[in-house]
Coordinates of all heavy atoms in Angstrom, one line a residue:
M337 N -19.9 66.4 -4.2 CA -20.0 67.3 -5.4 C -20.2 68.7 -4.9 O -21.1 69.0 -4.1 CB -21.1 66.9 -6.3 CG -21.4 67.8 -7.4 SD -22.6 67.2 -8.7 CE -23.8 66.3 -7.9
A338 N -19.3 69.7 -5.3 CA -19.5 71.1 -4.9 C -20.7 71.7 -5.6 O -21.0 71.4 -6.7 CB -18.2 71.8 -5.3
Q339 N -21.3 72.6 -4.8 CA -22.5 73.3 -5.4 C -22.3 74.8 -5.3 O -21.7 75.3 -4.4 CB -23.7 72.9 -4.5 CG -24.0 71.4 -4.4 CD -25.1 71.0 -5.4 OE1 -25.9 71.8 -5.9 NE2 -25.1 69.7 -5.7
L340 N -22.8 75.5 -6.3 CA -22.7 76.9 -6.4 C -24.0 77.5 -6.0 O -25.1 77.0 -6.3 CB -22.4 77.4 -7.8 CG -21.1 76.8 -8.4 CD1 -21.0 77.2 -9.9 CD2 -19.9 77.4 -7.7
S341 N -24.0 78.6 -5.2 CA -25.2 79.3 -4.9 C -25.6 80.2 -6.0 O -24.8 81.1 -6.3 CB -25.0 80.0 -3.6 OG -26.1 80.7 -3.2
C342 N -26.8 80.1 -6.6 CA -27.1 80.8 -7.8 C -28.5 81.5 -7.6 O -29.3 81.1 -6.7 CB -27.2 79.8 -9.0 SG -25.7 78.9 -9.3
G343 N -28.7 82.4 -8.5 CA -30.0 83.1 -8.5 C -30.4 83.5 -9.9 O -29.6 83.9 -10.7
Y344 N -31.7 83.4 -10.1 CA -32.3 83.9 -11.4 C -33.5 84.7 -11.2 O -34.4 84.2 -10.5 CB -32.6 82.7 -12.3 CG -33.4 83.1 -13.6 CD1 -32.7 83.6 -14.7 CD2 -34.7 83.0 -13.7 CE1 -33.3 84.1 -15.8 CE2 -35.4 83.4 -14.8 CZ -34.7 83.9 -15.8 OH -35.4 84.4 -17.0
R345 N -33.6 85.9 -11.7 CA -34.8 86.7 -11.6 C -35.5 86.8 -12.9 O -34.9 87.1 -14.0 CB -34.4 88.2 -11.2 CG -35.7 89.1 -11.1 CD -35.4 90.4 -10.5 NE -34.8 90.4 -9.2 CZ -35.4 90.2 -8.1 NH1 -36.7 90.1 -8.1 NH2 -34.8 90.3 -6.9
N346 N -36.8 86.4 -12.9 CA -37.6 86.5 -14.1 C -38.0 87.9 -14.3 O -38.9 88.4 -13.6 CB -38.8 85.6 -13.9 CG -39.7 85.6 -15.1 OD1 -39.4 86.2 -16.1 ND2 -40.9 84.9 -15.0
S347 N -37.4 88.6 -15.2 CA -37.7 90.0 -15.5 C -38.8 90.2 -16.5 O -39.1 91.3 -16.9 CB -36.4 90.8 -15.8 OG -35.9 90.2 -17.0
S348 N -39.3 89.1 -17.0 CA -40.4 89.2 -18.0 C -41.8 89.3 -17.3 O -41.9 89.2 -16.1 CB -40.4 88.0 -18.9 OG -40.9 86.9 -18.2
D349 N -42.8 89.6 -18.1 CA -44.1 89.7 -17.6 C -44.9 88.4 -17.8 O -46.1 88.3 -17.6 CB -44.9 90.8 -18.2 CG -45.0 90.7 -19.7 OD1 -44.4 89.8 -20.3 OD2 -45.8 91.4 -20.4
R350 N -44.1 87.3 -18.1 CA -44.7 86.0 -18.3 C -44.1 85.0 -17.4 O -42.9 85.1 -17.0 CB -44.6 85.5 -19.7 CG -45.3 86.5 -20.7 CD -45.1 86.0 -22.1 NE -46.0 84.8 -22.2 CZ -46.0 84.1 -23.3 NH1 -45.3 84.4 -24.3 NH2 -46.7 83.0 -23.4
M351 N -44.8 83.9 -17.0 CA -44.2 82.8 -16.2 C -43.3 82.1 -17.1 O -43.5 81.9 -18.3 CB -45.4 81.9 -15.8 CG -45.0 80.7 -15.0 SD -46.5 79.8 -14.5 CE -47.1 79.3 -16.0
V352 N -42.1 81.6 -16.5 CA -41.1 80.9 -17.2 C -40.8 79.6 -16.5 O -41.1 79.5 -15.3 CB -39.8 81.6 -17.5 CG1 -40.1 82.9 -18.4 CG2 -39.1 82.0 -16.2
I353 N -40.2 78.7 -17.1 CA -39.7 77.4 -16.5 C -38.2 77.5 -16.6 O -37.6 77.6 -17.6 CB -40.3 76.2 -17.2 CG1 -41.8 76.1 -17.1 CG2 -39.6 74.9 -16.6 CD1 -42.5 75.1 -17.9
V354 N -37.6 77.3 -15.4 CA -36.1 77.3 -15.3 C -35.7 75.8 -15.2 O -36.2 75.1 -14.3 CB -35.6 78.1 -14.1 CG1 -34.1 77.9 -14.0 CG2 -35.9 79.5 -14.2
R355 N -34.9 75.3 -16.1 CA -34.5 73.9 -16.2 C -33.0 73.9 -16.1 O -32.3 74.5 -16.9 CB -35.0 73.3 -17.4 CG -34.7 71.8 -17.5 CD -35.3 71.2 -18.8 NE -36.7 71.2 -18.7 CZ -37.6 71.2 -19.7 NH1 -37.1 71.1 -20.9 NH2 -38.9 71.2 -19.5
C356 N -32.4 73.2 -15.1 CA -31.0 73.1 -14.9 C -30.6 71.6 -15.3 O -31.1 70.7 -14.7 CB -30.6 73.4 -13.5 SG -31.1 75.0 -13.0
L357 N -29.6 71.5 -16.2 CA -29.1 70.2 -16.6 C -27.6 70.2 -16.3 O -26.9 70.9 -16.9 CB -29.4 70.0 -18.1 CG -30.8 70.2 -18.5 CD1 -30.9 70.3 -20.1 CD2 -31.7 69.0 -18.0
G358 N -27.2 69.3 -15.4 CA -25.9 69.3 -14.9 C -25.2 68.0 -15.0 O -25.8 67.0 -15.4
P359 N -24.0 67.9 -14.6 CA -23.2 66.7 -14.6 C -23.8 65.7 -13.5 O -24.5 66.1 -12.6 CB -21.8 67.1 -14.2 CG -21.9 68.4 -13.5 CD -23.2 69.0 -14.0
Q360 N -23.4 64.4 -13.7 CA -23.8 63.4 -12.8 C -25.3 63.3 -12.5 O -25.8 63.2 -11.4 CB -23.1 63.5 -11.4 CG -21.6 63.4 -11.6 CD -20.9 63.7 -10.3 OE1 -21.4 64.0 -9.2 NE2 -19.5 63.5 -10.3
E361 N -26.1 63.5 -13.6 CA -27.5 63.4 -13.6 C -28.2 64.4 -12.8 O -29.3 64.2 -12.3 CB -28.0 62.0 -13.2 CG -27.5 60.9 -14.2 CD -27.9 59.5 -13.8 OE1 -29.0 59.4 -13.2 OE2 -27.3 58.6 -14.2
F362 N -27.6 65.6 -12.6 CA -28.2 66.7 -11.8 C -29.3 67.3 -12.7 O -29.1 67.6 -13.9 CB -27.2 67.8 -11.5 CG -27.8 68.9 -10.8 CD1 -28.1 68.9 -9.4 CD2 -28.2 70.1 -11.5 CE1 -28.7 70.0 -8.8 CE2 -28.8 71.2 -10.9 CZ -29.0 71.1 -9.5
F363 N -30.5 67.4 -12.1 CA -31.6 68.0 -12.8 C -32.5 68.8 -11.8 O -32.8 68.4 -10.7 CB -32.5 66.9 -13.4 CG -33.6 67.4 -14.2 CD1 -33.5 67.9 -15.5 CD2 -34.9 67.4 -13.7 CE1 -34.5 68.4 -16.2 CE2 -36.0 67.9 -14.4 CZ -35.8 68.4 -15.7
L364 N -32.9 70.0 -12.2 CA -33.7 70.9 -11.4 C -34.6 71.6 -12.4 O -34.2 72.1 -13.4 CB -32.9 71.9 -10.6 CG -33.7 72.9 -9.8 CD1 -34.3 72.3 -8.6 CD2 -32.8 74.0 -9.4
E365 N -35.9 71.6 -12.0 CA -36.9 72.3 -12.9 C -37.9 73.0 -12.0 O -38.5 72.4 -11.1 CB -37.6 71.3 -13.8 CG -38.5 72.0 -14.8 CD -39.1 71.0 -15.8 OE1 -40.1 70.4 -15.4 OE2 -38.6 70.9 -16.9
R366 N -38.0 74.4 -12.2 CA -38.9 75.2 -11.3 C -39.7 76.2 -12.2 O -39.2 76.7 -13.2 CB -38.1 76.0 -10.3 CG -37.4 75.1 -9.3 CD -38.4 74.5 -8.3 NE -37.7 73.8 -7.2 CZ -37.4 72.5 -7.3 NH1 -37.6 71.8 -8.4 NH2 -36.8 71.9 -6.3
V367 N -40.9 76.5 -11.8 CA -41.7 77.5 -12.4 C -41.4 78.8 -11.7 O -41.3 78.8 -10.4 CB -43.2 77.2 -12.3 CG1 -44.0 78.4 -12.8 CG2 -43.6 76.0 -13.1
V368 N -41.1 79.9 -12.4 CA -40.8 81.2 -11.9 C -41.7 82.2 -12.4 O -41.8 82.4 -13.6 CB -39.3 81.6 -12.2 CG1 -38.9 82.9 -11.5 CG2 -38.3 80.5 -11.8
F369 N -42.5 82.8 -11.5 CA -43.5 83.8 -11.9 C -42.8 85.1 -12.2 O -41.7 85.4 -11.9 CB -44.5 84.0 -10.7 CG -45.4 82.8 -10.6 CD1 -45.0 81.8 -9.6 CD2 -46.5 82.6 -11.4 CE1 -45.8 80.7 -9.5 CE2 -47.3 81.4 -11.2 CZ -46.9 80.5 -10.3
P370 N -43.6 86.0 -12.9 CA -43.0 87.3 -13.3 C -42.4 88.1 -12.1 O -43.0 88.1 -11.0 CB -44.2 88.1 -13.9 CG -45.1 87.0 -14.4 CD -44.9 85.9 -13.4
F371 N -41.2 88.6 -12.3 CA -40.5 89.4 -11.3 C -40.1 88.6 -10.0 O -39.6 89.2 -9.1 CB -41.3 90.7 -10.9 CG -41.7 91.4 -12.2 CD1 -43.0 91.4 -12.5 CD2 -40.8 92.0 -13.0 CE1 -43.5 92.0 -13.7 CE2 -41.2 92.7 -14.2 CZ -42.6 92.7 -14.5
E372 N -40.2 87.3 -10.0 CA -39.8 86.5 -8.9 C -38.3 86.1 -9.0 O -37.8 86.0 -10.1 CB -40.6 85.2 -8.9 CG -40.4 84.3 -7.7 CD -41.2 83.0 -7.7 OE1 -41.8 82.7 -8.8 OE2 -41.3 82.4 -6.7
L373 N -37.7 86.0 -7.8 CA -36.3 85.5 -7.8 C -36.2 84.1 -7.3 O -36.8 83.7 -6.3 CB -35.5 86.4 -6.8 CG -34.1 86.0 -6.5 CD1 -33.2 86.1 -7.7 CD2 -33.5 86.8 -5.4
L374 N -35.5 83.3 -8.1 CA -35.3 81.9 -7.8 C -33.9 81.7 -7.3 O -33.0 82.0 -8.0 CB -35.6 81.0 -9.0 CG -35.2 79.5 -8.8 CD1 -36.2 78.8 -7.8 CD2 -35.3 78.8 -10.1
S375 N -33.7 81.2 -6.1 CA -32.4 80.9 -5.5 C -32.3 79.4 -5.5 O -33.2 78.7 -5.1 CB -32.3 81.4 -4.1 OG -32.4 82.8 -4.1
F376 N -31.1 78.9 -6.0 CA -30.9 77.4 -6.0 C -29.4 77.1 -6.0 O -28.6 78.0 -6.2 CB -31.5 76.9 -7.3 CG -31.0 77.5 -8.6 CD1 -30.0 76.8 -9.3 CD2 -31.4 78.7 -9.1 CE1 -29.4 77.3 -10.5 CE2 -30.9 79.2 -10.3 CZ -29.9 78.5 -11.0
L377 N -29.2 75.8 -5.7 CA -27.8 75.3 -5.7 C -27.6 74.4 -6.9 O -28.5 73.6 -7.2 CB -27.5 74.5 -4.4 CG -27.6 75.3 -3.1 CD1 -27.4 74.3 -1.9 CD2 -26.5 76.3 -3.1
A378 N -26.5 74.5 -7.6 CA -26.2 73.7 -8.7 C -24.7 73.5 -8.9 O -23.9 74.3 -8.5 CB -26.7 74.4 -10.0
P379 N -24.3 72.3 -9.4 CA -22.9 72.1 -9.6 C -22.3 72.9 -10.7 O -23.1 73.4 -11.6 CB -22.8 70.6 -9.9 CG -24.2 70.2 -10.3 CD -25.2 71.2 -9.7
P380 N -21.0 73.2 -10.7 CA -20.4 73.8 -11.8 C -20.6 73.0 -13.1 O -20.9 71.9 -13.1 CB -18.9 73.8 -11.5 CG -18.8 73.6 -10.0 CD -20.1 72.8 -9.7
D381 N -20.5 73.7 -14.2 CA -20.7 73.1 -15.6 C -22.2 72.7 -15.8 O -22.5 71.9 -16.7 CB -19.9 71.8 -15.8 CG -18.4 72.1 -15.7 OD1 -18.0 73.2 -16.1 OD2 -17.6 71.3 -15.2
T382 N -23.1 73.3 -15.1 CA -24.6 73.1 -15.3 C -25.0 74.1 -16.3 O -24.6 75.3 -16.3 CB -25.3 73.3 -14.0 OG1 -24.9 72.3 -13.0 CG2 -26.8 73.2 -14.2
E383 N -25.9 73.7 -17.2 CA -26.5 74.6 -18.2 C -27.9 74.9 -17.7 O -28.7 74.0 -17.3 CB -26.7 73.9 -19.5 CG -27.4 74.7 -20.6 CD -27.6 74.0 -21.9 OE1 -27.3 72.8 -21.9 OE2 -28.1 74.6 -22.8
V384 N -28.3 76.2 -17.7 CA -29.6 76.7 -17.2 C -30.4 77.1 -18.4 O -29.9 78.0 -19.2 CB -29.4 77.8 -16.2 CG1 -30.8 78.3 -15.8 CG2 -28.6 77.4 -15.0
Q385 N -31.5 76.5 -18.6 CA -32.4 76.8 -19.7 C -33.6 77.5 -19.2 O -34.2 77.1 -18.2 CB -32.8 75.6 -20.5 CG -31.6 74.8 -21.1 CD -32.1 73.5 -21.8 OE1 -33.2 73.0 -21.5 NE2 -31.3 73.0 -22.6
I386 N -34.0 78.6 -20.0 CA -35.2 79.3 -19.6 C -36.3 79.0 -20.7 O -36.0 79.3 -21.9 CB -35.0 80.8 -19.6 CG1 -33.7 81.1 -18.7 CG2 -36.2 81.6 -19.1 CD1 -33.8 80.7 -17.3
W387 N -37.4 78.5 -20.3 CA -38.4 78.1 -21.3 C -39.7 78.9 -21.0 O -40.0 79.2 -19.9 CB -38.8 76.6 -21.1 CG -37.7 75.7 -21.6 CD1 -36.6 75.3 -20.9 CD2 -37.6 75.0 -22.8 NE1 -35.8 74.5 -21.7 CE2 -36.4 74.3 -22.9 CE3 -38.4 75.0 -24.0 CZ2 -36.1 73.5 -23.9 CZ3 -38.1 74.2 -25.0 CH2 -36.9 73.5 -25.0
T388 N -40.5 79.2 -22.1 CA -41.8 79.8 -21.9 C -42.7 79.0 -22.8 O -42.3 78.2 -23.6 CB -41.7 81.3 -22.3 OG1 -43.0 81.9 -21.9 CG2 -41.5 81.5 -23.7
H389 N -44.0 79.4 -22.7 CA -45.0 78.7 -23.6 C -45.5 79.7 -24.6 O -46.1 80.7 -24.2 CB -46.1 78.2 -22.7 CG -47.0 77.2 -23.4 ND1 -46.8 76.8 -24.7 CD2 -48.2 76.6 -23.1 CE1 -47.8 75.9 -25.1 NE2 -48.6 75.9 -24.1
G390 N -45.3 79.4 -25.9 CA -45.7 80.3 -26.9 C -46.9 79.7 -27.6 O -47.5 78.7 -27.2
L391 N -47.3 80.3 -28.7 CA -48.4 79.8 -29.5 C -48.2 78.4 -30.1 O -49.2 77.6 -30.2 CB -48.8 80.8 -30.7 CG -49.2 82.2 -30.2 CD1 -49.4 83.1 -31.4 CD2 -50.5 82.1 -29.5
G392 N -47.0 78.1 -30.4 CA -46.7 76.8 -31.0 C -46.3 75.8 -30.0 O -45.9 74.7 -30.3
G393 N -46.3 76.1 -28.7 CA -45.9 75.2 -27.6 C -44.7 75.7 -26.9 O -44.4 76.9 -26.9
P394 N -44.0 74.9 -26.2 CA -42.8 75.3 -25.4 C -41.7 75.9 -26.3 O -41.5 75.4 -27.4 CB -42.3 74.0 -24.7 CG -43.4 73.1 -24.8 CD -44.2 73.4 -26.0
E395 N -41.2 77.0 -25.8 CA -40.1 77.7 -26.6 C -38.9 78.0 -25.7 O -39.1 78.5 -24.5 CB -40.6 79.1 -27.1 CG -41.7 79.0 -28.1 CD -42.2 80.4 -28.5 OE1 -41.6 81.4 -28.1 OE2 -43.2 80.5 -29.2
L396 N -37.7 77.6 -26.1 CA -36.5 77.9 -25.4 C -36.2 79.3 -25.6 O -35.9 79.8 -26.8 CB -35.3 77.0 -25.9 CG -34.0 77.2 -25.2 CD1 -34.0 76.9 -23.7 CD2 -32.9 76.3 -25.9
V397 N -36.1 80.1 -24.5 CA -35.9 81.6 -24.6 C -34.4 81.9 -24.5 O -33.9 82.7 -25.2 CB -36.7 82.3 -23.5 CG1 -36.4 83.8 -23.5 CG2 -38.2 82.1 -23.6
E398 N -33.7 81.2 -23.6 CA -32.4 81.5 -23.3 C -31.7 80.3 -22.7 O -32.3 79.5 -22.0 CB -32.4 82.6 -22.3 CG -31.1 83.3 -22.0 CD -31.3 84.5 -21.1 OE1 -32.3 84.7 -20.5 OE2 -30.3 85.2 -20.9
S399 N -30.4 80.2 -22.9 CA -29.5 79.1 -22.3 C -28.3 79.9 -21.7 O -27.6 80.6 -22.3 CB -29.1 78.2 -23.4 OG -28.3 77.1 -22.8
I400 N -28.1 79.6 -20.4 CA -27.2 80.4 -19.6 C -26.2 79.4 -18.9 O -26.7 78.5 -18.2 CB -27.9 81.3 -18.5 CG1 -29.0 82.1 -19.2 CG2 -26.9 82.2 -17.8 CD1 -29.9 82.8 -18.2
P401 N -24.9 79.6 -18.9 CA -24.0 78.8 -18.1 C -24.2 79.2 -16.6 O -24.4 80.4 -16.3 CB -22.6 79.2 -18.5 CG -22.8 80.1 -19.7 CD -24.2 80.5 -19.8
V402 N -24.2 78.3 -15.7 CA -24.5 78.5 -14.3 C -23.5 79.5 -13.7 O -23.9 80.2 -12.8 CB -24.6 77.2 -13.5 CG1 -23.2 76.7 -13.2 CG2 -25.4 77.4 -12.2
A403 N -22.3 79.6 -14.2 CA -21.3 80.5 -13.7 C -21.8 82.0 -13.8 O -21.4 82.8 -13.0 CB -20.0 80.3 -14.5
E404 N -22.7 82.3 -14.8 CA -23.2 83.6 -14.9 C -24.2 84.0 -13.9 O -24.6 85.1 -13.7 CB -23.7 83.9 -16.3 CG -22.6 83.9 -17.4 CD -23.2 84.1 -18.7 OE1 -24.3 84.7 -18.9 OE2 -22.5 83.8 -19.7
L405 N -24.8 82.9 -13.2 CA -25.8 83.2 -12.2 C -25.4 83.0 -10.8 O -26.2 83.0 -9.8 CB -27.0 82.2 -12.5 CG -27.6 82.2 -13.9 CD1 -28.6 81.1 -14.0 CD2 -28.3 83.6 -14.1
V406 N -24.1 82.9 -10.6 CA -23.5 82.7 -9.2 C -23.8 84.0 -8.4 O -23.6 85.1 -8.9 CB -22.0 82.4 -9.2 CG1 -21.4 82.4 -7.8 CG2 -21.8 81.0 -9.9
V407 N -24.3 83.8 -7.2 CA -24.6 84.9 -6.3 C -23.4 85.2 -5.4 O -22.8 84.3 -4.8 CB -25.8 84.6 -5.4 CG1 -26.0 85.7 -4.4 CG2 -27.0 84.3 -6.2
E408 N -22.9 86.4 -5.5 CA -21.7 86.8 -4.7 C -22.1 86.8 -3.2 O -23.1 87.4 -2.8 CB -21.2 88.1 -5.1 CG -20.6 88.2 -6.5 CD -19.4 87.3 -6.7 OE1 -18.6 87.1 -5.8 OE2 -19.3 86.7 -7.8
A409 N -21.3 86.3 -2.3 CA -21.5 86.3 -0.9 C -21.3 87.7 -0.4 O -20.3 88.4 -0.8 CB -20.6 85.4 -0.2
T410 N -22.2 88.2 0.4 CA -22.0 89.6 0.9 C -21.1 89.5 2.1 O -21.0 88.5 2.8 CB -23.4 90.2 1.4 OG1 -23.9 89.3 2.4 CG2 -24.3 90.3 0.2
E411 N -20.3 90.5 2.3 CA -19.3 90.6 3.4 C -20.1 90.7 4.7 O -21.0 91.4 4.8 CB -18.4 91.7 3.2 CG -17.5 91.6 2.0 CD -16.5 92.8 1.9 OE1 -16.2 93.4 3.0 OE2 -16.0 93.0 0.8
A412 N -19.7 89.9 5.7 CA -20.3 90.0 7.0 C -20.0 91.3 7.7 O -18.9 91.8 7.5 CB -19.8 88.8 7.8
L413 N -20.9 91.8 8.4 CA -20.7 93.0 9.2 C -19.8 92.7 10.3 O -19.9 91.7 10.9 CB -22.0 93.6 9.7 CG -23.0 94.0 8.6 CD1 -24.3 94.4 9.3 CD2 -22.4 95.2 7.9
E414 N -18.9 93.7 10.6 CA -18.1 93.5 11.8 C -18.9 93.6 13.1 O -19.9 94.3 13.1 CB -16.9 94.5 11.8 CG -16.0 94.3 10.6 CD -14.9 95.4 10.7 OE1 -14.6 95.9 11.8 OE2 -14.3 95.6 9.6
A415 N -18.4 93.0 14.1 CA -19.2 93.0 15.4 C -19.3 94.4 15.9 O -20.3 94.7 16.6 CB -18.5 92.1 16.4
S416 N -18.4 95.3 15.6 CA -18.5 96.6 16.2 C -19.6 97.4 15.5 O -20.0 98.5 16.0 CB -17.1 97.3 16.0 OG -16.8 97.4 14.6
D417 N -20.0 97.0 14.3 CA -21.0 97.7 13.5 C -22.5 97.3 14.0 O -23.4 98.0 13.6 CB -20.9 97.4 12.0 CG -19.6 97.9 11.4 OD1 -19.0 98.8 12.1 OD2 -19.2 97.4 10.4
V418 N -22.6 96.3 14.7 CA -23.9 95.8 15.1 C -24.1 95.9 16.6 O -23.3 95.3 17.4 CB -24.1 94.3 14.6 CG1 -25.5 93.8 15.0 CG2 -23.9 94.3 13.1
A419 N -25.2 96.5 17.1 CA -25.5 96.5 18.5 C -26.2 95.2 18.9 O -27.0 94.6 18.1 CB -26.4 97.7 18.8
P420 N -25.9 94.7 20.1 CA -26.6 93.4 20.5 C -28.1 93.7 20.6 O -28.6 94.8 20.8 CB -26.0 93.2 21.9 CG -24.8 94.0 21.9 CD -24.9 95.1 21.0
V421 N -28.9 92.6 20.4 CA -30.3 92.7 20.4 C -30.8 93.2 21.8 O -30.3 92.7 22.8 CB -31.0 91.4 20.1 CG1 -32.5 91.4 20.2 CG2 -30.6 90.9 18.7
G422 N -31.7 94.2 21.8 CA -32.3 94.7 23.1 C -31.4 95.7 23.7 O -31.8 96.3 24.7
V423 N -30.3 96.1 23.2 CA -29.5 97.1 23.8 C -29.6 98.4 22.9 O -29.3 98.3 21.7 CB -28.0 96.7 23.9 CG1 -27.1 97.8 24.4 CG2 -27.9 95.4 24.7
P424 N -30.1 99.5 23.5 CA -30.2 100.7 22.7 C -28.8 101.2 22.3 O -27.9 101.1 23.0 CB -30.9 101.7 23.6 CG -30.7 101.2 25.0 CD -30.5 99.7 24.8
P425 N -28.7 101.9 21.1 CA -27.5 102.5 20.7 C -27.0 103.6 21.6 O -27.9 104.3 22.2 CB -27.7 103.0 19.3 CG -29.2 103.1 19.2 CD -29.8 102.1 20.1
A426 N -25.7 103.8 21.8 CA -25.2 104.8 22.7 C -25.6 106.2 22.1 O -25.6 106.4 20.9 CB -23.7 104.7 22.8
T427 N -25.9 107.1 23.0 CA -26.2 108.5 22.5 C -25.0 109.4 22.8 O -24.3 109.2 23.7 CB -27.5 109.0 23.2 OG1 -27.2 109.0 24.6 CG2 -28.7 108.2 22.9
A428 N -24.9 110.4 21.9 CA -23.8 111.3 22.1 C -24.1 112.3 23.2 O -25.3 112.7 23.4 CB -23.6 112.1 20.8
A429 N -23.1 112.6 24.1 CA -23.4 113.5 25.2 C -23.1 114.9 24.9 O -22.4 115.3 24.1 CB -22.5 113.0 26.4

């Protein structure tokens, strides 16, 4: 089963619970503290629910398709852009 690399940042000032419900009995549940970033793998077609605890008990705050949380891969630096470890950069003469 293919997995997507995803991320969710809790931008609220309250702790939330991230619950992922996916195909083929995929389930993931994590507590995310304020301003924390949660990185996770999930199959396509997964629904991500954000829950908090209100005065009346648990409250569903948001429901997000996992496709909206996919983390884009950063382009790798070319070898010419990176100096080997322990080798000082060349100085201009």
